[in-house]
Amino acid sequence: QVQLVESGGGSVQAGGSLRLSCAAYGHTYSMLCMGWFRQGPGKEREGVAVIDSDGTTRYVDSVKGRFTISQDNAKNILYLQMNSLKPEDTAMYYCAADYRWRLCLTSNSPGFGYWGQGTQVTVSS
């Protein structure tokens, strides 16, 4: 079992920055793919960024150059650094993890087995 706990969300003006954190507990050594997803008001959930156990990252086009996913393996923490935030980035952000490495082949693979409770990000214009 793996538990994921997100933090770091909040309200920021357009152009600002936030860093989300996701602390992982339990059998984290088996999680070969981790990622961040988001769901905005009235929108479907979309994958934002993923990182595999080798450190390879993938991003959805709308955040490339602005967001950076990283992980601290020693502390079992996943991060999402978000810069140059836009109002359209407003969403609930979720951390996800899975033992299947292939889920990291795209930034929006369905079927992640473990999810956090989410943290809200609101960007005002």
Side-chain angles (χ1 to χ4, degrees), residues 30-47:
S30 62
M31 297 296 108
L32 301 185
C33 179
M34 297 190 73
W36 289 96
F37 289 72
R38 67 185 179 186
Q39 187 165 16
K43 299 181 181 179
E44 293 186 353
R45 187 178 65 191
E46 68 168 348

Side-chain angles (χ1 to χ4, degrees), residues 86-109:
K86 304 176 180 179
E88 50 264 44
D89 294 318
T90 294
M92 184 71 80
Y93 283 71
Y94 299 92
C95 172
D98 201 277
Y99 64 89
R100 292 169 292 180
W101 175 85
R102 61 179 174 84
L103 295 187
C104 272
L105 292 178
T106 72
S107 64
N108 196 29
S109 295

Side-chain angles (χ1 to χ4, degrees), residues 46-112:
E46 68 168 348
V48 175
V50 295
I51 184 167
D52 67 21
S53 54
D54 293 329
T56 300
T57 59
R58 288 180 173 84
Y59 299 88
V60 66
D61 287 345
S62 60
V63 308
K64 286 180 180 177
R66 300 188 298 122
F67 291 11
T68 302
I69 188 171
S70 62
Q71 57 189 6
D72 185 329
N73 291 323
K75 296 180 179 179
N76 293 328
I77 300 177
L78 180 73
Y79 299 103
L80 185 68
Q81 177 67 45
M82 304 186 294
N83 299 327
S84 302
L85 282 161
K86 304 176 180 179
E88 50 264 44
D89 294 318
T90 294
M92 184 71 80
Y93 283 71
Y94 299 92
C95 172
D98 201 277
Y99 64 89
R100 292 169 292 180
W101 175 85
R102 61 179 174 84
L103 295 187
C104 272
L105 292 178
T106 72
S107 64
N108 196 29
S109 295
F112 275 76

Side-chain angles (χ1 to χ4, degrees), residues 1-3 25-28 30-31 114:
Q1 279 284 6
V2 173
Q3 292 180 323
Y25 303 93
H27 296 170
T28 58
S30 62
M31 297 296 108
Y114 299 96

